[in-house]
Amino acid sequence: SSKMDFSQSNLFGYIEDLQELTIIERPIRRSLKTPEEIERLTVDEELSDIERAVYLLSSGQDIQGTSVVANLPVLMRQNPAETLRRVLPKIREVLHVAGVEMQLTAAVSFLTVLQDESVSIHTYSHSFLHIILQNLEHRDAGVSNAWLETLLAVIEALPKETIRHEILNPLVSKAQLSQTLQSRLLSCKIMGKLANKFEAHIIKREILPLVKSLCQDVEYEVRTCMCRQLEHIAQGIGTELAKTVVLPELVELSRDEGSSVRLAAFETLVNLLDMFDADDRSQTVLPLVKSFCEKSFKADESILLSLSFHLGKLCNGLYGIFTPEQHLRFLEFYKKLSTLGLQQENGHNDNQLQIQTLEQEKKYISVRKNCAYNFPAMIVFVDPKNFHLELYSIFFCLCHDPEVPVRCTMAISFYEVAKLLNSGVYTIHKELVTLLQDESLEVLDALVGHLPEILELMTNGGENSGSESKLLSVPDLIPALTTAEQRAATSLKWRTHEKLLQKYACLPHIIPSDQIYYRFLHRMLTIILTNNVLPVQKAAARTLCIYLRHNRKQEQRHEIIQKLIEQLGQGKSYWNRLRFLDTCEFIMEQFSKSFFCKYFFLPVLELTHDPVANVRMKLCYLLPKVKSTLKIPTDKHLLQQLELCIRKLLCQEKDKDVLTIVKRTVLELDRMEISVDAFQKRFYENDLLDQEKERQEHLLLEMEQLEKEKQQNEGRSTNINDKMFEKKRRDSKTSSVLAKSIAHSVPGSSSGTSAGKEDKKSKLVRSQSFSTQALHSKYNNIDKCPNKSSATGYLSSVSGMGKSCMLSFSDDSFRTHSAGNSGNAAFPSSSSSRNLFNSADQKNNGNKESQSRKMSM
């Protein structure tokens, strides 16, 4: 019965609700100011800022006084002398009887004046410090805390003598037991701040006695507050005094009757671990920690949350003093916490095995969440080499935890885990797929933050992957990625969808080009056409351009370009035509100028005749970028087309807003300088970047041409290989035969041949650095030749073709590998490419040993 019921009773109910809303609105209309109230709020406009402030503080209403106090930093910047002389005394008088809002505003304004440095620190301490100290013990806790925050910030800037006279000396009386609880709590926090301002001997003489007194206060709130300040005290007095003074106090407070005091002592102890040496850790700290761990399940559950949160830091801090038995004991304790609440036997006594209350469930969820947070630290604790044996089962449980916060925390820390495992990252492939397919979008959103880095580690980090395809290194990765995107698309959380599409731009480095084309590229185009959220459409457009940039087949690229122009640029909906212009911006960002001019320049200019003013307006904003893609004299005809379109817009445009933007754009276009084909100094960096993009695009075309030639000749390679074998057997001088073969395969003059070789060498080296994945897939296909002699036959079959030099280098690479690869030699990495190309010289020498190896094969 999810449909709305429009029965008579329900309709009457809706009418009553509407009547209630009208009743609620009535007092709002009546609350407008009366003429008398407006008269009282009116101020003479001829008054100066200082006079107006004094008048409002003297006879104005509270809201006007609060506005003056809020404006105090501005007055101090404009006229500090008059503000200090006339306005500040008035504020001091008003604050005695002011309400909470004005007090809070004053605390913030005083802090702003200090941060702006409108006056010297001496003037500030003389004028403002007394007001701060007077209002420090305000009866409202919020106001008191606000003034305390201001005071602690002021202490940082004050000179030592001022602090000693104005703050430290009165503090001695304020910290006495006879003072109020609020006064003693403030004294604790101030002393923690003062510990970093004075030398150790002054702290020992004047502050430590007060610290000890407050650590033994009758009120547990004071003991807790002072215990939390011991960390700052210890840092101020140094390691030696911390061991003799602070550590005994912490030991005593850890046995306090108040649970909050014990919790504060435990957390302070963890934070100070680095200050204690091995003896203190083994003799004092470790027994205390063991005691806390034992009590956390039995008598003192209040510490369980804090213990689970600090366990990673604790284990690594005490790592050096653990015996193997203690190491195992703490690891088991972590495992126990990681599954707390998921099983009935959770360590409680028999009489406590009851149905868990909601509060207990929340506590156990928080404990498991803390365990997920500490998981990277525990990997360090057990050593990444022992991960699979010691921690994988816990990792599996936390990734499959029934509660979203736990899985979300695991997703956040997944990247850290992958980094720590390094070559053993292959052990957590399944969990990555599981989290990508998680039913909660919060988990997906947390995982996506570092998705490119995680996928890079997954595909390239494993040492045992060898020469396997990248796709095979993470099973079920592509279905998991497509499922994640579809789930994000069908949800209302468009920000997660946008973030996901932005991160998916890394996939060309992870997944082969064909898989990108069939599984992701068309999906991006669909999102641009059908999604209703503009940031999502733009993210999809940018990712589509990156996919197009790395696509290795010209036919596929042309198909996508045609669809972009027909379905977006010439689409029926003006919304699609606007997205076409957005896509063109990304094209200009990702591709070379010549690529944009070849495919998109004229389709963009066609939109000057668009019937919708918004499209023409957006095009006008884009025209300066479009013009910047032109090069003279190569694109002179395109420049003429651009000028013609602008003239038509100026003459025929009827929309006033568009015409205004056209005129502004014309002025901007006139000021622009068009780059020429040759390099210019002012455009040197941009031209260099554009040249690099253009070179990479040509490399893609060349690699595709090589692959086509290889496929055309692969079928004939067997027959050619047989003929070559007979020819070699008849020929008694193998070296001369090889020389003739090379002379036949590389025709032309020797100088031209060497130049061609050097050119192809450099191109192939650059292609490796540009697209390692593309080359790997190409040469994996070349590896399909049945044996080495067949590769040689393939080389001779393409003699006379423009690409024969590059293929001869490829053939030589196969010869350098050992015969143990069963003919499937892997293409060498880019770091060894120079050795690969140097082997071409050995080929020209025609040594008998390599030739005889061919004949034996």
Side-chain angles (χ1 to χ4, degrees):
S1 62
S2 58
K3 295 181 180 179
M4 187 176 292
D5 185 10
F6 288 102
S7 62
Q8 188 174 6
S9 59
N10 280 339
L11 285 174
F12 281 123
Y14 299 145
I15 293 170
E16 289 174 2
D17 292 341
L18 291 172
Q19 288 175 347
E20 288 177 5
L21 288 174
T22 57
I23 293 170
I24 292 171
E25 285 183 3
R26 286 175 192 167
I28 298 174
R29 294 173 184 170
R30 292 175 181 173
S31 66
L32 298 175
K33 301 296 181 184
T34 61
E36 292 80 9
E37 289 174 327
I38 293 173
E39 182 66 28
R40 285 200 298 271
L41 292 170
T42 305
V43 181
D44 188 359
E45 294 181 1
E46 296 181 359
L47 295 175
S48 66
D49 290 342
I50 300 293
E51 290 171 343
R52 186 186 299 109
V54 172
Y55 171 76
L56 292 176
L57 288 169
S58 302
S59 56
Q61 297 189 5
D62 286 345
I63 190 171
Q64 292 175 314
T66 303
S67 69
V68 172
V69 173
N71 199 44
L72 180 64
V74 178
L75 295 175
M76 287 296 298
R77 286 193 291 268
Q78 293 174 350
N79 194 345
E82 283 298 302
T83 304
L84 291 174
R85 189 176 69 84
R86 298 182 62 186
V87 178
L88 196 61
K90 282 289 181 184
I91 291 177
R92 186 172 187 169
E93 291 176 12
V94 171
L95 285 177
H96 283 296
V97 293
V100 171
E101 188 176 354
M102 187 181 289
Q103 288 276 355
L104 294 173
T105 306
V108 174
S109 293
F110 280 29
L111 182 58
T112 306
V113 171
L114 174 71
Q115 293 168 345
D116 289 348
E117 299 179 355
S118 306
V119 292
S120 65
I121 192 62
H122 176 74
T123 306
Y124 187 91
S125 61
H126 182 265
S127 304
F128 290 87
L129 185 58
H130 292 289
I131 303 176
I132 294 171
L133 293 172
Q134 281 178 0
N135 293 281
L136 197 59
E137 297 184 32
H138 194 276
R139 60 184 177 275
D140 186 273
V143 172
S144 178
N145 286 330
W147 284 113
L148 177 63
E149 291 297 323
T150 303
L151 177 63
L152 296 179
V154 171
I155 288 174
E156 284 289 336
L158 289 176
K160 289 182 182 178
E161 285 304 314
T162 305
I163 295 174
R164 181 190 287 275
H165 291 296
E166 300 293 340
I167 298 174
L168 184 57
N169 291 340
L171 196 66
V172 177
S173 60
K174 295 285 185 182
Q176 298 301 319
L177 192 60
S178 57
Q179 295 293 324
T180 62
L181 174 64
Q182 183 185 13
S183 177
R184 303 203 300 279
L185 289 172
L186 291 171
S187 300
C188 294
K189 294 175 182 177
I190 293 171
M191 274 191 285
K193 195 70 175 180
L194 294 179
N196 297 321
K197 297 294 293 183
F198 293 102
E199 293 80 7
H201 67 276
I202 296 177
I203 298 173
K204 182 179 180 181
R205 187 177 69 247
E206 299 188 15
I207 294 181
L208 281 183
L210 295 175
V211 170
K212 290 182 178 180
S213 171
L214 290 169
C215 282
Q216 297 169 2
D217 197 278
V218 293
E219 298 292 340
Y220 75 92
E221 294 104 321
V222 178
R223 298 198 301 276
T224 302
C225 186
M226 192 66 249
C227 185
R228 295 197 179 278
Q229 299 303 317
L230 286 179
E231 180 182 350
H232 306 295
I233 302 290
Q235 292 168 353
I237 62 179
T239 306
E240 292 301 319
L241 276 175
K243 288 168 60 178
T244 56
V245 178
V246 175
L247 187 56
E249 290 294 335
L250 283 174
V251 173
E252 187 174 345
L253 289 169
S254 66
R255 302 190 185 102
D256 196 276
E257 60 185 10
S259 60
S260 61
V261 181
R262 296 195 299 273
L263 180 61
F266 169 73
E267 292 178 352
T268 306
L269 198 64
V270 173
N271 292 334
L272 290 176
L273 269 180
D274 295 336
M275 294 194 69
F276 304 134
D277 56 26
D279 291 338
D280 292 326
R281 293 181 191 181
S282 60
Q283 296 173 10
T284 308
V285 178
L286 185 56
L288 277 177
V289 171
K290 288 168 67 177
S291 172
F292 278 122
C293 292
E294 290 169 0
K295 291 179 181 177
S296 63
F297 275 111
K298 298 176 183 177
D300 198 1
E301 278 199 353
S302 60
I303 206 169
L304 194 59
L305 275 177
S306 179
L307 183 59
S308 63
F309 182 75
H310 291 97
L311 192 60
K313 186 176 181 179
L314 203 57
C315 288
N316 286 285
L318 298 174
Y319 181 80
I321 63 168
F322 279 150
T323 63
E325 183 183 352
Q326 290 169 337
H327 186 282
L328 184 61
R329 186 175 179 182
F330 273 86
L331 181 59
E332 290 300 321
F333 181 72
Y334 173 76
K335 292 180 180 180
K336 192 173 183 180
L337 291 179
S338 300
T339 56
L340 188 64
L342 298 180
Q343 49 199 16
Q344 291 188 354
E345 294 181 5
N346 51 17
H348 291 272
N349 297 329
D350 293 337
N351 58 351
Q352 293 177 326
L353 287 175
Q354 300 171 355
I355 299 175
Q356 294 178 356
T357 63
L358 186 62
E359 187 177 346
Q360 276 181 319
E361 286 180 6
K362 288 181 180 179
K363 182 188 293 184
Y364 293 157
I365 292 169
S366 299
V367 168
R368 298 200 303 276
K369 181 183 175 182
N370 289 340
C371 289
Y373 166 77
N374 279 302
F375 196 84
M378 297 307 295
I379 292 179
V380 176
F381 181 62
V382 302
D383 195 306
K385 295 177 183 177
N386 301 322
F387 167 77
H388 195 271
L389 183 65
E390 300 286 355
L391 285 177
Y392 178 73
S393 59
I394 297 300
F395 183 74
F396 179 87
C397 290
L398 291 172
C399 287
H400 292 81
D401 195 277
E403 298 298 332
V404 172
V406 181
R407 302 198 303 276
C408 195
T409 308
M410 283 306 297
I412 293 171
S413 61
F414 199 96
Y415 175 53
E416 294 297 326
V417 173
K419 276 199 303 184
L420 288 169
L421 293 180
N422 196 10
S423 61
V425 73
Y426 64 91
T427 57
I428 57 172
H429 285 175
K430 292 180 181 178
E431 283 66 37
L432 173 63
V433 173
T434 299
L435 292 176
L436 279 171
Q437 295 175 331
D438 196 279
E439 60 184 11
S440 171
L441 276 179
E442 293 177 29
V443 177
L444 181 62
D445 187 72
L447 184 67
V448 162
H450 286 289
L451 187 63
E453 296 87 348
I454 293 170
L455 291 177
E456 186 70 22
L457 286 168
M458 287 286 182
T459 52
N460 299 331
E463 294 176 357
N464 66 334
S465 59
S467 60
E468 291 177 4
S469 169
K470 288 185 174 184
L471 180 63
L472 298 177
S473 61
V474 185
D476 302 325
L477 174 62
I478 292 178
L481 290 171
T482 53
T483 302
E485 189 278 321
Q486 288 167 3
R487 187 179 295 109
T490 54
S491 72
L492 297 177
K493 296 183 179 180
W494 63 265
R495 288 181 179 85
T496 300
H497 194 200
E498 178 196 14
K499 184 178 176 182
L500 192 77
L501 295 175
Q502 289 170 349
K503 298 297 181 181
Y504 274 18
C506 73
L507 293 184
H509 305 291
I510 312 297
I511 297 172
S513 176
D514 281 343
Q515 291 288 341
I516 292 283
Y517 175 76
Y518 290 113
R519 302 298 292 271
F520 295 98
L521 208 154
H522 288 284
R523 175 61 184 161
M524 296 300 145
L525 185 59
T526 303
I527 292 170
I528 300 171
L529 289 168
T530 60
N531 199 284
N532 296 322
V533 182
L534 179 58
V536 173
Q537 288 180 306
K538 285 189 173 183
R542 187 177 184 280
T543 303
L544 181 142
C545 292
I546 293 172
Y547 291 169
L548 189 64
R549 175 77 179 78
H550 290 86
N551 189 280
R552 296 188 59 243
K553 292 187 178 179
Q554 190 173 11
E555 183 182 348
Q556 294 176 356
R557 288 197 297 274
H558 284 172
E559 181 190 344
I560 295 301
I561 290 168
Q562 186 178 0
K563 284 185 176 180
L564 286 173
I565 294 170
E566 291 178 356
Q567 298 181 21
L568 287 179
Q570 300 168 3
K572 293 181 180 179
S573 169
Y574 87 97
W575 188 255
N576 288 343
R577 300 195 294 278
L578 288 174
R579 298 296 72 78
F580 176 71
L581 293 175
D582 288 330
T583 308
C584 287
E585 282 194 73
F586 296 128
I587 291 286
M588 286 186 273
E589 174 190 320
Q590 295 293 329
F591 290 84
S592 64
K593 295 177 180 179
S594 59
F595 182 91
F596 177 81
C597 291
K598 182 177 180 181
Y599 295 107
F600 291 96
F601 192 92
L602 293 177
V604 167
L605 291 188
E606 286 178 10
L607 293 177
T608 52
H609 308 294
D610 197 278
V612 179
N614 283 6
V615 178
R616 301 195 301 275
M617 190 182 296
K618 188 174 182 67
L619 173 63
C620 291
Y621 283 121
L622 192 63
L623 284 179
K625 285 187 179 180
V626 171
K627 186 178 179 182
S628 68
T629 63
L630 297 175
K631 288 182 180 180
I632 299 299
T634 308
D635 301 322
K636 190 174 181 180
H637 64 291
L638 294 178
L639 179 61
Q640 292 172 350
Q641 291 287 337
L642 176 64
E643 291 172 349
L644 180 64
C645 290
I646 293 171
R647 287 195 199 99
K648 285 183 178 179
L649 278 172
L650 282 171
C651 298
Q652 300 174 5
E653 184 57 56
K654 297 179 181 179
D655 189 281
K656 293 181 180 179
D657 296 328
V658 178
L659 189 60
T660 305
I661 295 168
V662 170
K663 292 177 180 178
R664 193 187 309 160
T665 305
V666 168
L667 294 175
E668 188 176 349
L669 291 173
D670 288 340
R671 290 193 296 267
M672 286 181 64
E673 293 185 30
I674 304 177
S675 61
V676 295
D677 287 339
F679 275 57
Q680 294 175 284
K681 286 185 178 180
R682 70 186 64 168
F683 303 122
Y684 182 76
E685 289 185 6
N686 291 334
D687 288 345
L688 201 63
L689 184 62
D690 184 66
Q691 189 187 49
E692 178 67 17
K693 290 178 181 176
E694 195 168 341
R695 182 184 62 79
Q696 292 172 358
E697 289 161 11
H698 285 311
L699 280 173
L700 277 176
L701 292 174
E702 288 184 7
M703 288 191 294
E704 185 181 3
Q705 184 65 28
L706 281 175
E707 197 165 343
K708 285 181 179 178
E709 290 175 3
K710 185 232 0 162
Q711 290 172 356
Q712 289 171 4
N713 293 281
E714 198 169 27
R716 293 179 288 170
S717 62
T718 306
N719 296 331
I720 296 172
N721 287 337
D722 293 339
K723 293 178 182 178
M724 287 292 294
F725 180 75
E726 292 297 327
K727 183 179 179 182
K728 288 174 185 177
R729 192 172 63 175
R730 288 194 304 267
D731 202 331
S732 59
K733 295 180 180 181
T734 55
S735 58
S736 61
V737 172
L738 182 60
K740 289 178 183 177
S741 174
I742 292 193
H744 180 255
S745 63
V746 189
S749 64
S750 59
S751 61
T753 306
S754 62
K757 283 184 179 180
E758 291 300 323
D759 184 52
K760 296 301 179 181
K761 284 179 188 178
S762 61
K763 282 181 178 178
L764 193 52
V765 170
R766 290 197 301 268
S767 69
Q768 281 185 329
S769 62
F770 164 61
S771 179
T772 309
Q773 173 231 329
L775 279 172
H776 278 199
S777 61
K778 182 182 78 172
Y779 282 99
N780 282 338
N781 289 332
I782 293 177
D783 289 344
K784 293 177 183 176
C785 296
N787 49 35
K788 295 180 180 179
S789 61
S790 67
T792 309
Y794 168 57
L795 170 63
S796 63
S797 70
V798 292
S799 61
M801 291 187 183
K803 311 300 177 183
S804 59
C805 296
M806 191 178 292
L807 289 171
S808 66
F809 299 143
S810 316
D811 169 55
D812 212 33
S813 70
F814 296 128
R815 209 182 316 150
T816 58
H817 285 285
S818 63
N821 289 335
S822 302
N824 292 324
F827 188 72
S829 63
S830 59
S831 62
S832 62
S833 60
R834 292 186 180 179
N835 297 331
L836 168 63
F837 297 134
N838 289 337
S839 65
D841 300 331
Q842 298 174 5
K843 180 177 180 181
N844 291 331
N845 295 333
N847 58 71
K848 296 181 180 180
E849 184 182 350
S850 61
Q851 193 68 20
S852 61
R853 191 185 306 127
K854 284 184 181 179
M855 295 183 67
S856 66
M857 289 297 292

